[in-house]
């Protein structure tokens, strides 16, 4: 133990030296201009941050000793690379190829590993270790107590990384190549979110230059969720990964969302058929020319007959290119036709002449008449406000009733006065892409993907059209009326058909008794989906208490107080409509609480969570208020039961269900 502690101390000293080396570098002589200086300064600042020694985060968590023919090959596995003054490695980055056996070696396939050592820490201090001799036939496989303790360690504060506990099936997904898209179907507690984040960290390690140019993005369901996960990548030394919600991606800064749709209207606006409607709307202004184009240059007149201009317009119309790109190409095509005539008359025009002709007043007027400019927001505004325009664009695509459902009851007079909904901004984003291609990133991670509409999938897909993606979700947790039915369908909308779908069914977070109770809902909410199992050694605690309606608030407060006697975080989850009453009750009882996204502290460990924001979050103990109200808060029973399934599976150590109304029949009586 003393030798291992000494190696930890010397590794920390080496990391400090690495940071001091970067801090001492003088870049004033290598920066040619202020732009270069600014870029280099930012790079150095990020490098210094990445080399920070996080006191409560162990530098290494494992060790690999290889067999005799590779004697002397001993590697400490940690969150980042650390080397000594001579450049020799003291800690190997967990993402390096040499680290892979730490996660995948087994007694049946030791991968040349003689010994795998795991370390246990308390407050950043090395306090324990355990060994597996993978090639010793006399040693029995009893499992890892340290691994189990790390998995079951109480949760306080933001989400932690799982780099020390990654399992073989998770490691395969994490290290999958950047060339393809991977979809991960994972039940509650299977670590799919953490796997997605670690995959980003791995890809940045393996393809840093490529992703530095093209960019990476993590998309989550809401801001609370993004705040919860935001510390994972910095703990792994990765600082330059953008995070956003789908609403952030499609937001129109000058057109704030101030309106809401009915569930029926939102479902129609999110339907993939709307892409066809928008395409028709964008192209509705194209007109076949009936007049020739006459270009005057000096004393010469060059005439392009109407039929020839018509051929150019029809050729561009028939090609599958963006409206804006075609509009930019048309004046060049007309100018080229003029240059052909110039050459036939003995002139020798060059590219500059063609560009000048393309800017000629007559050419610009002809282009404007045949291929007028399109404003995406104005096009969507007209579509939702003008019944005749919508009918023409949606003929044979949407029914008359569907058209009536999405038409605004009171048409807006302009862009600024329109009460845009979240679904409308997705339509504007689609329209903008029809006009001008959306910039594509190198890799996108989409979490809680099951809740997206087809049009939202298309918006995300545009952000990785030339890159790859990691799609994470659970079909059983789909809580929108348009929730994904199958991953094949979702991947098709994303523009990634045929991508690999991996399934994680081993749960590492939710206790066995709790996941078994919640899984009673699966036959109704996700028929055919494999039930998640739990590898937790402790079954966890589950209590279900029925009370009289007048006793509900007091019983919930009592359950919260009981939970607060335990170590870790507590989440009080309730239907959104019940939140004000519970907030009042907590205040009256002088029980301090947080809102989702606020960090728990030793003094305040209780978070009051609306059921609609619970997805992706986790707490050591959960108190669930009135399950029937959670179900009734949704537009239909299946969506309500899925929302309840989410709420039931947020607990890491214990769940207390308190109800006055009858429980959904699928849960039955708890014994």
């Amino acid at each position: 133990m003393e030798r291992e502690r000494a190696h930890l101390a010397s590794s920390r000293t080496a990391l400090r030296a690495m940071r001091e080396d970067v801090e001492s570098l003088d870049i004033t002589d290598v920066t040619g201009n202020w732009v270069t200086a600014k870029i280099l300064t930012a790079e150095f600042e990020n490098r210094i941050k990445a080399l920070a020694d996080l006191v409560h985060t162990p530098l290494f968590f494992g060790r690999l000793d290889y067999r005799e023919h590779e004697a002397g090959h001993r590697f400490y596995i940690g969150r980042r690379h650390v080397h000594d003054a001579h450049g020799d490695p003291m800690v190997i980055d967990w993402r390096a190829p040499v680290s892979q056996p730490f996660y995948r070696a087994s007694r049946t396939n030791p991968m040349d590993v003689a010994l795998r050592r795991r370390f246990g820490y308390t407050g950043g201090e090395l306090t324990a270790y355990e060994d597996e001799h993978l090639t010793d036939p006399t040693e029995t496989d009893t499992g890892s107590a340290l691994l189990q303790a790390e998995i079951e360690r109480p949760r306080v504060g933001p989400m932690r990384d799982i780099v020390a506990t990654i399992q073989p099936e998770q490691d395969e997904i994490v290290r999958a190549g950047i060339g393809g898209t991977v979809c991960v179907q994972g039940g509650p507690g299977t670590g799919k979110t953490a796997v997605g984040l670690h995959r980003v960290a791995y890809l940045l390690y393996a393809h840093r230059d490529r992703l530095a140019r093209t960019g990476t993005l993590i998309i989550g369901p809401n801001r609370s969720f993004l705040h919860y996960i935001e510390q994972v990548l910095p703990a792994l030394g990765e600082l330059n990964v953008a995070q956003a919600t789908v609403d952030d991606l499609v937001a129109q800064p000058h057109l704030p969302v101030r309106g809401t749709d009915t569930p029926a209207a939102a479902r129609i606006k999110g339907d993939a058929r709307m892409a066809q409607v928008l395409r028709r709307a964008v192209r509705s202004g194209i007109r076949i020319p009936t007049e020739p184009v006459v270009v005057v240059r000096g004393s010469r007149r060059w005439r392009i007959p109407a039929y020839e201009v018509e051929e150019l317009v029809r050729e561009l119309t028939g090609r599958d290119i963006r409206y804006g790109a075609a509009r930019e190409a048309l004046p060049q095509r007309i100018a080229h036709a003029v240059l052909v005539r110039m050459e036939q008359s003995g002139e020798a025009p060059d590219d500059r002449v063609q560009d000048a002709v393309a800017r000629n007043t007559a050419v610009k007027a002809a282009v404007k008449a045949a291929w007028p400019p399109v404003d995406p927001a104005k096009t969507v505004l007209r579509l939702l406000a003008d019944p005749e325009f919508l009918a023409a664009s949606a003929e044979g695509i949407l029914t008359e009733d569907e058209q009536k459902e999405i038409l605004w009851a009171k048409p807006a007079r302009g862009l600024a006065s329109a009460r845009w909904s979240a679904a409308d901004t997705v339509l504007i984003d689609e329209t903008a892409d029809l006009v001008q291609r959306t910039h594509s990133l190198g890799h996108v991670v989409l979490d809680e993907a099951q809740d997206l509409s087809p049009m939202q999938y298309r918006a995300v897909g545009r952000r990785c059209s030339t890159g790859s993606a990691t799609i994470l979700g659970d079909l059983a947790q789909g809580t929108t009326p348009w929730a994904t039915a199958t991953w094949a369908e979702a991947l098709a909308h994303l523009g990634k058909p045929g991508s690999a779908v991996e399934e994680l069914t081993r749960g590492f977070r939710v206790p066995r008794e709790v996941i078994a109770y919640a899984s009673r809902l699966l036959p109704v909410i996700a028929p055919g989906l494999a039930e998640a199992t739990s590898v937790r050694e402790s079954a966890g605690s589950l209590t279900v208490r029925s009370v009289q309606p007048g006793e509900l608030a007091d019983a919930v407060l009592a359950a919260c107080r009981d939970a607060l006697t335990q170590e870790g975080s507590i989440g009080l989850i309730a239907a959104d409509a019940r939140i004000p009453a519970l907030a009042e009750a907590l205040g009256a009882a002088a029980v301090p609480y947080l809102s989702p996204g606020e960090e728990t502290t030793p003094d305040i460990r209780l978070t009051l969570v609306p059921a609609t924001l619970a997805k992706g979050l986790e707490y050591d103990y959960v108190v669930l208020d009135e399950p029937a109200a959670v179900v009734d808060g949704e537009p239909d029973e299946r969506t309500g039961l899925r929302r309840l399934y989410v709420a039931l599976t947020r607990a890491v150590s214990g769940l207390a269900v308190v109800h006055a109304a009858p429980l959904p029949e699928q849960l039955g009586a708890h014994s």
Side-chain angles (χ1 to χ4, degrees):
M1 177 65 76
E2 290 307 312
R3 285 197 302 270
E4 300 294 18
R5 285 173 175 163
H7 187 76
L8 175 62
S10 59
S11 297
R12 289 196 183 280
T13 300
L15 180 62
R16 283 196 297 274
M18 290 170 62
R19 179 171 175 146
E20 288 167 1
D21 285 345
V22 177
E23 289 174 328
S24 65
L25 289 174
D26 183 0
I27 61 172
T28 54
D29 292 336
V30 297
T31 54
N33 54 61
W34 70 270
V35 176
T36 306
K38 195 166 186 176
I39 293 172
L40 277 176
T41 300
E43 290 289 335
F44 273 78
E45 288 176 352
N46 284 338
R47 178 64 175 159
I48 291 168
K49 289 178 185 176
L51 290 171
D53 185 3
L54 306 178
V55 178
H56 297 294
T57 302
L59 269 185
F60 55 80
F61 47 80
R63 194 184 97 186
L64 291 176
D65 292 6
Y66 283 87
R67 292 196 287 192
E68 287 82 359
H69 69 278
E70 293 190 40
H73 284 218
R74 173 179 294 175
F75 301 103
Y76 287 83
I77 312 302
R79 286 169 170 77
R80 68 196 68 198
H81 173 82
V82 179
H83 61 255
D84 62 17
H86 305 291
D88 295 324
M90 301 187 71
V91 180
I92 300 293
D93 194 304
W94 67 275
R95 297 167 288 187
V98 74
S99 302
Q100 187 171 323
F102 182 79
Y103 301 107
R104 297 199 192 179
S106 64
R107 296 186 186 281
T108 56
N109 180 22
M111 301 175 72
D112 289 327
V113 174
L115 178 142
R116 174 167 53 200
R117 175 169 289 181
R118 297 182 191 275
F119 297 100
Y121 290 81
T122 302
E125 294 298 317
L126 200 163
T127 55
Y129 69 83
E130 62 182 15
D131 291 341
E132 296 174 87
H133 298 87
L134 298 180
T135 56
D136 184 352
T138 65
E139 185 175 283
T140 57
D141 188 0
T142 57
S144 170
L146 288 178
L147 183 64
Q148 196 68 35
E150 174 63 20
I151 289 173
E152 299 185 8
R153 184 156 58 95
R155 269 82 172 146
V156 176
M159 183 181 183
R160 299 196 307 263
D161 64 71
I162 62 164
V163 64
T165 62
I166 291 173
Q167 299 298 294
E169 67 271 25
Q170 297 173 324
D171 190 62
E172 287 185 19
I173 297 170
V174 167
R175 297 177 192 266
I178 194 173
T181 289
V182 178
C183 177
V184 182
Q185 158 63 40
T190 55
K192 57 184 177 296
T193 295
V195 166
L197 295 174
H198 286 68
R199 175 158 165 72
V200 170
Y202 171 76
L203 292 176
L204 285 167
Y205 174 88
H207 307 279
R208 189 166 302 280
D209 289 344
R210 173 175 172 178
L211 291 178
R213 293 192 306 272
T214 56
T216 53
L217 173 67
I218 295 171
I219 303 172
N222 52 59
R223 279 280 147 199
S224 297
F225 176 84
L226 292 176
H227 181 72
Y228 177 61
I229 68 170
E230 68 183 358
Q231 294 304 315
V232 173
L233 288 171
L236 299 173
E238 298 299 344
L239 304 169
N240 297 319
V241 180
Q243 296 184 356
T245 65
V246 174
D247 288 345
D248 293 334
L249 288 186
V250 301
Q252 308 293 319
H254 58 295
L255 303 174
V257 173
R258 296 181 299 173
T260 55
D261 288 310
T262 64
R267 188 183 292 108
I268 297 165
K269 289 179 180 180
D271 194 298
R273 293 175 296 163
M274 286 301 300
Q276 298 173 263
V277 175
L278 293 169
R279 182 180 174 86
R280 281 189 188 172
V282 165
R283 291 176 168 257
S284 63
I286 298 175
R287 296 288 180 266
I288 300 301
T290 57
E291 299 292 331
V293 177
V294 180
V295 176
V296 178
R297 281 183 61 81
S299 60
R300 301 293 300 272
R301 292 164 58 90
W302 307 98
R303 184 176 183 277
I304 308 300
Y307 75 85
E308 193 169 332
V309 183
E310 177 184 344
E311 287 176 1
L312 296 175
V313 171
R314 290 192 184 279
E315 189 265 334
L316 287 172
T317 304
R319 295 181 60 190
D320 188 24
I321 58 175
R322 298 296 193 280
Y323 184 92
R327 190 172 190 276
E328 291 171 3
L330 183 55
Q332 290 290 337
R333 300 291 178 88
I334 296 173
H336 179 72
V338 172
L339 258 66
V340 169
R341 283 163 172 75
M342 289 181 176
E343 290 169 348
Q344 289 172 345
S345 68
E347 295 188 20
D350 56 18
D351 290 344
R352 289 173 298 175
V353 174
Q354 180 166 324
D355 290 339
V357 173
R359 295 191 300 270
N360 181 273
T361 303
V363 173
K364 289 197 292 186
V367 170
K368 185 176 181 180
W371 210 285
V374 167
D375 181 290
K378 288 180 179 178
T379 300
V380 175
L381 176 72
R382 184 184 173 196
L383 203 62
L384 299 176
D386 184 342
E388 292 184 3
F389 185 54
L390 176 59
S393 300
E395 184 180 0
I397 301 173
L398 301 180
T399 67
E400 289 186 13
D401 288 342
E402 288 174 324
Q403 293 174 35
K404 290 177 183 176
E405 189 65 50
I406 64 173
L407 275 169
W408 285 338
K410 291 182 66 176
R413 284 179 289 182
L415 296 176
S417 62
R419 296 186 62 80
W420 299 102
S421 69
D424 295 336
T425 61
V426 180
L427 299 182
I428 295 172
D429 189 74
E430 175 86 25
T431 307
D433 185 72
L434 288 167
V435 176
Q436 203 74 42
R437 181 183 293 277
T438 304
H439 173 67
S440 176
L441 299 167
H443 194 79
V444 169
V445 174
L446 173 62
D447 206 349
E448 300 297 349
Q450 70 280 345
D451 276 339
L452 270 60
S453 71
M455 291 298 286
Q456 288 175 317
Y457 278 123
R458 290 175 62 88
V460 173
R462 288 192 283 277
R463 271 73 186 181
C464 55
S465 59
T466 59
S468 57
T470 300
I471 312 302
L472 311 165
D474 180 10
L475 297 179
Q477 295 185 57
T479 50
T480 55
W482 48 80
T484 300
T486 68
W487 289 121
E489 179 183 310
L491 288 165
H493 292 313
L494 273 164
K496 307 291 184 183
S499 297
V501 179
E502 305 288 347
E503 191 167 5
L504 296 176
T505 58
R506 284 207 305 162
F508 302 95
R509 176 175 56 77
V510 185
R512 284 201 301 268
E513 191 173 357
V514 173
I515 194 64
Y517 183 64
S519 293
R520 297 179 185 182
L521 299 173
L522 283 179
V524 176
I525 63 175
L529 197 65
E531 180 179 330
T533 59
S534 178
V535 300
R536 296 285 297 271
E537 290 186 357
S538 59
S541 63
L542 172 64
T543 61
V544 181
R545 183 183 175 193
S546 176
V547 299
Q548 295 300 313
E551 303 171 349
L552 183 60
D554 289 340
V556 168
L557 283 173
C560 289
R561 288 194 176 99
D562 286 345
L564 285 166
T565 64
Q566 306 292 328
E567 184 182 4
S569 58
I570 292 88
L572 170 53
I573 303 178
D576 291 34
R578 292 269 302 151
I579 293 297
L582 290 172
E584 185 178 345
L586 289 169
V591 177
Y593 65 91
L594 304 166
S595 297
E598 296 179 330
E599 250 179 64
T600 54
T601 68
D603 297 324
I604 307 179
R605 295 183 290 121
L606 174 67
T607 303
L608 180 57
V609 187
T612 55
L613 295 182
K615 193 170 297 181
L617 305 180
E618 60 181 24
Y619 302 92
D620 285 289
Y621 291 87
V622 166
V623 176
L624 178 58
D625 167 270
E626 199 65 287
V630 174
V631 177
D632 292 342
E634 300 299 329
D636 59 81
E637 185 185 37
R638 191 185 76 158
T639 304
L641 290 173
R642 285 181 166 184
R643 183 77 69 190
L644 177 58
Y645 180 77
V646 171
L648 288 168
T649 54
R650 299 304 95 199
V652 174
S653 297
L655 170 67
V657 179
V658 185
H659 68 101
L663 292 171
E665 61 177 344
Q666 292 83 2
L667 289 179
H670 175 62
S671 55

Short mmCIF file of all heavy atoms in Angstrom, two decimals, residues 6-7 9-15 60 74-77 81-85 87-92:
data_model
loop_
_atom_site.label_atom_id
_atom_site.label_comp_id
_atom_site.label_asym_id
_atom_site.label_seq_id
_atom_site.Cartn_x
_atom_site.Cartn_y
_atom_site.Cartn_z
N ALA A 6 3.00 6.05 -2.64
CA ALA A 6 4.17 6.80 -3.10
C ALA A 6 4.07 7.08 -4.59
O ALA A 6 4.43 8.18 -5.06
CB ALA A 6 5.45 6.01 -2.79
N HIS A 7 3.58 6.10 -5.36
CA HIS A 7 3.42 6.33 -6.80
C HIS A 7 2.36 7.40 -7.06
O HIS A 7 2.51 8.22 -7.97
CB HIS A 7 3.03 5.02 -7.50
CG HIS A 7 3.02 5.13 -8.99
ND1 HIS A 7 4.16 5.15 -9.76
CD2 HIS A 7 1.99 5.29 -9.88
CE1 HIS A 7 3.85 5.28 -11.04
NE2 HIS A 7 2.53 5.38 -11.13
N ALA A 9 1.65 9.91 -5.04
CA ALA A 9 2.25 11.20 -4.68
C ALA A 9 3.21 11.68 -5.77
O ALA A 9 3.19 12.86 -6.17
CB ALA A 9 2.98 11.07 -3.34
N SER A 10 4.04 10.78 -6.29
CA SER A 10 4.98 11.18 -7.34
C SER A 10 4.26 11.51 -8.64
O SER A 10 4.69 12.39 -9.40
CB SER A 10 6.02 10.08 -7.57
OG SER A 10 5.41 8.86 -7.93
N SER A 11 3.13 10.85 -8.90
CA SER A 11 2.33 11.16 -10.10
C SER A 11 1.73 12.55 -9.99
O SER A 11 1.69 13.31 -10.97
CB SER A 11 1.23 10.12 -10.30
OG SER A 11 1.77 8.84 -10.53
N ARG A 12 1.26 12.90 -8.80
CA ARG A 12 0.71 14.24 -8.61
C ARG A 12 1.80 15.30 -8.78
O ARG A 12 1.57 16.36 -9.36
CB ARG A 12 0.07 14.36 -7.22
CG ARG A 12 -1.23 13.58 -7.06
CD ARG A 12 -1.99 14.03 -5.82
NE ARG A 12 -3.19 13.26 -5.60
CZ ARG A 12 -4.35 13.43 -6.24
NH1 ARG A 12 -4.44 14.35 -7.19
NH2 ARG A 12 -5.39 12.69 -5.95
N THR A 13 2.98 14.99 -8.27
CA THR A 13 4.11 15.92 -8.43
C THR A 13 4.45 16.10 -9.91
O THR A 13 4.70 17.21 -10.39
CB THR A 13 5.33 15.39 -7.67
OG1 THR A 13 5.02 15.27 -6.28
CG2 THR A 13 6.52 16.33 -7.84
N ALA A 14 4.43 14.99 -10.66
CA ALA A 14 4.73 15.05 -12.10
C ALA A 14 3.67 15.85 -12.84
O ALA A 14 3.98 16.61 -13.77
CB ALA A 14 4.83 13.63 -12.66
N LEU A 15 2.39 15.69 -12.44
CA LEU A 15 1.32 16.44 -13.10
C LEU A 15 1.48 17.93 -12.85
O LEU A 15 1.31 18.75 -13.77
CB LEU A 15 -0.05 15.96 -12.60
CG LEU A 15 -1.27 16.67 -13.19
CD1 LEU A 15 -1.34 16.45 -14.71
CD2 LEU A 15 -2.56 16.18 -12.54
N PHE A 60 -5.20 7.85 -10.70
CA PHE A 60 -5.34 6.53 -11.33
C PHE A 60 -6.25 5.67 -10.47
O PHE A 60 -6.38 5.87 -9.26
CB PHE A 60 -3.97 5.85 -11.53
CG PHE A 60 -3.14 5.70 -10.29
CD1 PHE A 60 -3.38 4.68 -9.38
CD2 PHE A 60 -2.08 6.58 -10.04
CE1 PHE A 60 -2.60 4.55 -8.24
CE2 PHE A 60 -1.29 6.45 -8.90
CZ PHE A 60 -1.56 5.43 -7.99
N ARG A 74 4.19 -2.71 -16.68
CA ARG A 74 3.19 -2.39 -15.66
C ARG A 74 2.65 -1.01 -15.97
O ARG A 74 3.41 -0.06 -16.19
CB ARG A 74 3.81 -2.43 -14.27
CG ARG A 74 2.88 -1.94 -13.16
CD ARG A 74 3.56 -2.03 -11.81
NE ARG A 74 3.80 -3.42 -11.46
CZ ARG A 74 4.47 -3.81 -10.38
NH1 ARG A 74 4.99 -2.89 -9.57
NH2 ARG A 74 4.64 -5.08 -10.12
N PHE A 75 1.34 -0.91 -16.02
CA PHE A 75 0.71 0.35 -16.39
C PHE A 75 -0.34 0.74 -15.36
O PHE A 75 -1.21 -0.07 -15.01
CB PHE A 75 0.05 0.25 -17.77
CG PHE A 75 1.00 -0.12 -18.87
CD1 PHE A 75 1.02 -1.41 -19.38
CD2 PHE A 75 1.88 0.80 -19.39
CE1 PHE A 75 1.88 -1.77 -20.40
CE2 PHE A 75 2.75 0.47 -20.41
CZ PHE A 75 2.76 -0.82 -20.91
N TYR A 76 -0.27 2.00 -14.92
CA TYR A 76 -1.31 2.57 -14.07
C TYR A 76 -2.32 3.26 -14.98
O TYR A 76 -1.95 4.08 -15.82
CB TYR A 76 -0.71 3.56 -13.07
CG TYR A 76 0.06 2.89 -11.96
CD1 TYR A 76 1.39 2.51 -12.14
CD2 TYR A 76 -0.54 2.63 -10.73
CE1 TYR A 76 2.11 1.89 -11.13
CE2 TYR A 76 0.16 2.00 -9.71
CZ TYR A 76 1.48 1.63 -9.91
OH TYR A 76 2.18 1.01 -8.90
N ILE A 77 -3.59 2.93 -14.79
CA ILE A 77 -4.66 3.45 -15.66
C ILE A 77 -5.40 4.57 -14.93
O ILE A 77 -5.86 4.39 -13.80
CB ILE A 77 -5.65 2.33 -16.04
CG1 ILE A 77 -4.91 1.07 -16.53
CG2 ILE A 77 -6.63 2.83 -17.09
CD1 ILE A 77 -4.01 1.29 -17.71
N HIS A 81 -3.21 11.26 -19.06
CA HIS A 81 -1.81 10.84 -19.16
C HIS A 81 -0.94 11.72 -18.26
O HIS A 81 -1.10 12.94 -18.21
CB HIS A 81 -1.34 10.96 -20.61
CG HIS A 81 0.11 10.71 -20.80
ND1 HIS A 81 0.63 9.43 -20.91
CD2 HIS A 81 1.17 11.56 -20.88
CE1 HIS A 81 1.94 9.51 -21.07
NE2 HIS A 81 2.30 10.79 -21.05
N VAL A 82 -0.02 11.08 -17.56
CA VAL A 82 0.96 11.80 -16.74
C VAL A 82 2.33 11.18 -17.02
O VAL A 82 2.47 9.95 -17.01
CB VAL A 82 0.64 11.69 -15.23
CG1 VAL A 82 1.70 12.43 -14.41
CG2 VAL A 82 -0.75 12.23 -14.92
N HIS A 83 3.33 12.03 -17.28
CA HIS A 83 4.68 11.51 -17.51
C HIS A 83 5.67 12.22 -16.59
O HIS A 83 5.41 13.34 -16.10
CB HIS A 83 5.10 11.67 -18.97
CG HIS A 83 5.13 13.09 -19.44
ND1 HIS A 83 4.17 13.61 -20.27
CD2 HIS A 83 6.01 14.11 -19.20
CE1 HIS A 83 4.44 14.88 -20.54
NE2 HIS A 83 5.57 15.20 -19.89
N ASP A 84 6.82 11.57 -16.39
CA ASP A 84 7.83 12.16 -15.52
C ASP A 84 8.73 13.11 -16.31
O ASP A 84 8.49 13.38 -17.50
CB ASP A 84 8.65 11.07 -14.82
CG ASP A 84 9.41 10.17 -15.80
OD1 ASP A 84 9.59 10.58 -16.97
OD2 ASP A 84 9.83 9.07 -15.39
N ALA A 85 9.79 13.58 -15.66
CA ALA A 85 10.67 14.56 -16.29
C ALA A 85 11.39 14.01 -17.51
O ALA A 85 11.83 14.78 -18.39
CB ALA A 85 11.70 15.05 -15.26
N GLY A 87 9.90 11.96 -19.65
CA GLY A 87 8.89 11.61 -20.65
C GLY A 87 8.33 10.21 -20.52
O GLY A 87 7.51 9.78 -21.34
N ASP A 88 8.76 9.48 -19.47
CA ASP A 88 8.24 8.12 -19.27
C ASP A 88 6.88 8.19 -18.60
O ASP A 88 6.68 8.97 -17.66
CB ASP A 88 9.21 7.30 -18.40
CG ASP A 88 10.55 7.08 -19.09
OD1 ASP A 88 10.53 6.92 -20.33
OD2 ASP A 88 11.59 7.09 -18.41
N PRO A 89 5.93 7.36 -19.07
CA PRO A 89 4.57 7.44 -18.52
C PRO A 89 4.48 6.95 -17.08
O PRO A 89 5.03 5.91 -16.73
CB PRO A 89 3.77 6.54 -19.46
CG PRO A 89 4.76 5.60 -20.03
CD PRO A 89 6.04 6.35 -20.13
N MET A 90 3.79 7.71 -16.26
CA MET A 90 3.51 7.31 -14.88
C MET A 90 2.05 6.90 -14.74
O MET A 90 1.71 6.05 -13.92
CB MET A 90 3.82 8.46 -13.91
CG MET A 90 5.27 8.92 -13.98
SD MET A 90 5.65 10.13 -12.70
CE MET A 90 5.63 9.10 -11.24
N VAL A 91 1.19 7.53 -15.53
CA VAL A 91 -0.23 7.15 -15.60
C VAL A 91 -0.63 7.14 -17.08
O VAL A 91 -0.29 8.08 -17.82
CB VAL A 91 -1.14 8.14 -14.83
CG1 VAL A 91 -2.60 7.71 -14.92
CG2 VAL A 91 -0.71 8.23 -13.36
N ILE A 92 -1.32 6.10 -17.48
CA ILE A 92 -1.77 5.97 -18.87
C ILE A 92 -3.23 6.42 -18.96
O ILE A 92 -4.07 6.03 -18.14
CB ILE A 92 -1.65 4.51 -19.36
CG1 ILE A 92 -0.20 4.03 -19.28
CG2 ILE A 92 -2.19 4.37 -20.78
CD1 ILE A 92 0.74 4.72 -20.22
#
